[in-house]
Amino acid sequence: MLTFAIISALKVTVVIIAVLTGCAYATWLERKLVGRFQHRIGPNMAGPFGLLQPIADGIKLIFKEDIVPDNAERITYALAPIVMFIPALLSYAVVPFGDQVTLFGYRIDMVISDLNIGILFIFAVTSLGVYGIVMAGWSSGSKYSLLGGIRSSAQMLSYEVAYGLSIICVLVIAGTLSLKELVAQQEHFLDWFIFRQPVGFVLYAICAVAETNRAPFDLAEAESELVAGYHTEYSSLRFAMFFIGEYANMIAVSSVATTIFLGGWHGPFLPPVVWFSIKVFFFMSVYIWLRATLPRLRYDQLMNFGWKVLFPLALLNVMVTALVFRF
Amino acid sequence: MVDVIKTVFIAFPKGFYTTLKHLFMKPVTIQYPRVKKPMAPRYRGLHYLEIYEDGTERCVCCGLCAAACPADAIYMEGAEKEKSERYAKIYEINLLRCIFCGFCEEACPEEAIFLGHEYEFSNDNRDSFIFTKEQMLTNRPVKEKPFKRIIRRVRRIF
């Protein structure tokens, strides 16, 4: 019992550190890649290739003045970034990073907790992020923040539907909710669900971009109309929390995509964790590529696209999949 | 429907290809404070006063540059040396007024004043923008620029 507790605590610590470092370096990766996409160099002054840039940014954000608006609802205002950040972290609890390893005679699963309802858990916690946005928008005491918060939450809720439906197709084929089981079913390259469920993958990718409020669906940050949406009034470390939350969300979504569609940690020659990282990195790069290429959608276009294109497509996909695999 | 298919299968890949192409190109960024882009030969930057090879000033304080200056930025006060040679005791250019048109350069009969290639002269107080003679003499670029030689040649013809 004690060993189990110690091992779990260790796993949680390692994962949290890895995720936070990953978030920091995701910002570096994004700036570097977007720079190159735009024919620039990107950060290169702090350390080799600008690799110390995230640390410099972190120090800067910590020492910036923390402003709380007079009209703000203090407690909610302070809670919102945390509510935004925690769900993003929680979803790592069920993502398997690799196979079993034997360490000091103990067999350790490379997953914090192998829930038999893993995907449901991920749905449940990722949808909690909306609360953070609404709380931030409402508690700031600014009309712009409120509008931005409502817009973002409406967007996230709209895309949540198609997001869920796109994974349901996979579940119909796999017949399990456990992520470990899902990965086990994708052992051979051609068994990857991206090949068995390509439409589902595309739908998932699009919805994931919208879920994490990224370009071209980053209406939360429509700076021309709303300054910065729900986090307009936030500064310093509170803003950094939103920022980290967004990137943690991105990595979480990429990890889930890797696990569900891209065969999880399976891959030849290299150790499982490396394969997992490579796939997540690839998905993140595609995210950034999208951002560098596509212009931002207008709000009505966004809603039309979500409800009139993605939702029917996802429904149709579920129907076809169910028909093919159940009869 | 045809439009949608065109967008998704023709326009999208085209756009994605464009950005991807740029990923593998060499960035055009110039690392400014460390690396400076050479200015065009005819660029008109900060003024400098030319001197003869033996170190005496070329400027004889005739006032033609001040007269030619459309922004009225040049102020000069002449004086005489013992051999009744005129020189500029005070020669000031108000850089806040100067529009860097280069008329002073053209008006000068002695080829004394030129506009150099220096462009880093921002400052945080207005008094520093009164550019004095000493500053203009030290600012002199060591290397001769080709356009100056051309001007000299043209002057000699007339």
Side-chain angles (χ1 to χ4, degrees):
Chain A
M1 190 61 206
L2 188 67
T3 46
F4 175 75
I6 291 170
I7 288 170
S8 294
L10 269 178
K11 279 195 284 197
V12 168
T13 319
V14 168
V15 166
I16 284 181
I17 289 172
V19 166
L20 288 181
T21 328
C23 290
Y25 280 92
T27 63
W28 174 83
L29 177 77
E30 165 140 36
R31 289 175 63 181
K32 204 78 184 166
L33 272 185
V34 169
R36 292 306 294 267
F37 278 129
Q38 293 170 351
H39 236 165
R40 296 183 284 116
I41 296 175
N44 68 336
M45 296 305 271
F49 305 109
L51 274 172
L52 299 178
Q53 191 68 43
I55 298 166
D57 286 342
I59 292 169
K60 188 194 84 176
L61 280 165
I62 288 167
F63 286 106
K64 272 189 137 183
E65 189 186 357
D66 189 13
I67 300 163
V68 181
D70 284 344
N71 289 338
E73 195 81 21
R74 292 267 170 167
I75 298 167
T76 325
Y77 183 82
L79 272 176
I82 302 165
V83 173
M84 180 88 179
F85 179 58
I86 298 293
L89 272 185
L90 274 178
S91 49
Y92 295 100
V94 293
V95 175
F97 299 100
D99 207 359
Q100 274 188 340
V101 288
T102 312
L103 215 65
F104 307 117
Y106 295 108
R107 287 165 65 76
I108 301 171
D109 269 334
M110 292 286 271
V111 51
I112 292 176
S113 156
D114 178 31
L115 287 184
N116 54 1
I117 50 156
I119 292 182
L120 272 186
F121 176 79
I122 283 177
F123 273 141
V125 293
T126 49
S127 54
L128 284 176
V130 180
Y131 287 103
I133 287 177
V134 175
M135 279 164 76
W138 177 74
S139 66
S140 292
S142 151
K143 291 181 182 67
Y144 286 113
S145 299
L146 184 61
L147 282 173
I150 289 170
R151 270 162 66 120
S152 307
S153 54
Q155 171 195 338
M156 284 173 84
L157 290 175
S158 311
Y159 280 81
E160 195 97 24
V161 182
Y163 182 71
L165 285 174
S166 66
I167 298 187
I168 281 179
C169 313
V170 174
L171 302 186
V172 167
I173 302 174
T176 175
L177 284 167
S178 156
L179 288 171
K180 210 176 151 193
E181 282 276 308
L182 268 176
V183 175
Q185 287 189 12
Q186 304 180 63
E187 203 179 334
H188 302 293
F189 183 68
L190 287 173
D191 283 345
W192 288 9
F193 280 108
I194 184 173
F195 301 117
R196 289 195 264 175
Q197 202 44 256
V199 181
F201 177 70
V202 171
L203 287 175
Y204 177 85
I206 295 172
C207 293
V209 173
E211 268 291 300
T212 47
N213 278 329
R214 292 272 308 171
F217 306 110
D218 58 341
L219 284 159
E221 289 171 38
E223 61 267 5
S224 51
E225 311 105 74
L226 293 170
V227 192
Y230 58 91
H231 54 59
T232 309
E233 305 294 341
Y234 283 85
S235 55
S236 178
L237 209 58
R238 293 178 211 263
F239 177 74
M241 288 278 276
F242 278 117
F243 209 68
I244 300 171
E246 189 187 317
Y247 279 90
N249 234 328
M250 263 172 81
I251 301 177
V253 162
S254 309
S255 311
V256 174
T258 307
T259 313
I260 295 177
F261 289 103
L262 299 176
W265 42 263
H266 283 300
F269 311 123
L270 296 168
V273 183
V274 176
W275 268 111
F276 186 82
S277 316
I278 289 174
K279 286 169 185 173
V280 171
F281 170 81
F282 172 74
F283 205 81
M284 295 277 289
S285 308
V286 173
Y287 246 55
I288 295 162
W289 186 16
L290 272 179
R291 182 201 160 157
T293 308
L294 297 172
R296 182 183 289 138
L297 264 72
R298 218 169 50 221
Y299 195 68
D300 59 318
Q301 289 173 334
L302 176 95
M303 280 307 191
N304 277 342
F305 185 60
W307 285 111
K308 293 184 183 166
V309 179
L310 287 184
F311 180 53
L313 258 180
L315 268 183
L316 198 73
N317 195 26
V318 173
M319 207 171 79
V320 171
T321 320
L323 280 175
V324 169
F325 279 88
R326 284 296 167 225
F327 294 105
Chain B
M1 197 62 205
V2 179
D3 275 359
V4 173
I5 291 167
K6 262 187 187 170
T7 318
V8 173
F9 290 103
I10 297 171
F12 270 40
K14 218 169 150 188
F16 281 114
Y17 174 66
T18 308
T19 37
L20 196 66
K21 204 169 58 187
H22 281 82
L23 182 64
F24 299 107
M25 283 182 186
K26 205 174 173 301
V28 292
T29 313
I30 293 166
Q31 300 268 303
Y32 166 59
R34 290 182 189 168
V35 183
K36 280 173 194 163
K37 195 183 167 190
M39 302 306 292
R42 296 200 297 183
Y43 177 78
R44 297 193 293 257
L46 202 56
H47 314 71
Y48 67 92
L49 283 173
E50 191 58 83
I51 53 172
Y52 287 112
E53 273 76 26
D54 60 353
T56 49
E57 294 162 27
R58 275 174 172 269
C59 179
V60 293
C61 197
C62 63
L64 280 177
C65 52
C69 184
D72 210 5
I74 304 179
Y75 172 77
M76 53 170 54
E77 233 171 66
E80 281 188 10
K81 286 178 193 167
E82 58 265 33
K83 284 182 279 176
S84 77
E85 273 178 16
R86 280 174 62 82
Y87 76 104
K89 197 171 74 181
I90 301 174
Y91 193 106
E92 286 176 354
I93 297 179
N94 188 343
L95 291 177
L96 292 173
R97 301 195 61 154
C98 179
I99 55 170
F100 298 94
C101 59
F103 281 4
C104 47
E105 192 181 347
E106 270 174 42
C108 185
E110 294 290 325
E111 288 147 30
I113 186 161
F114 287 100
L115 273 74
H117 279 180
E118 176 70 29
Y119 49 87
E120 293 168 328
F121 46 92
S122 52
N123 219 315
D124 58 0
N125 65 332
R126 298 179 72 87
D127 289 344
S128 321
F129 284 104
I130 308 288
F131 200 45
T132 60
K133 194 177 86 174
E134 285 70 36
Q135 283 169 299
M136 268 183 269
L137 283 168
T138 47
N139 184 42
R140 202 171 66 89
V142 183
K143 249 188 158 180
E144 199 178 59
K145 289 169 296 181
F147 83 93
K148 206 170 69 182
R149 229 179 297 133
I150 295 166
I151 290 176
R152 207 168 285 167
R153 209 168 295 151
V154 172
R155 289 253 166 78
R156 222 161 280 152
I157 292 166
F158 293 105

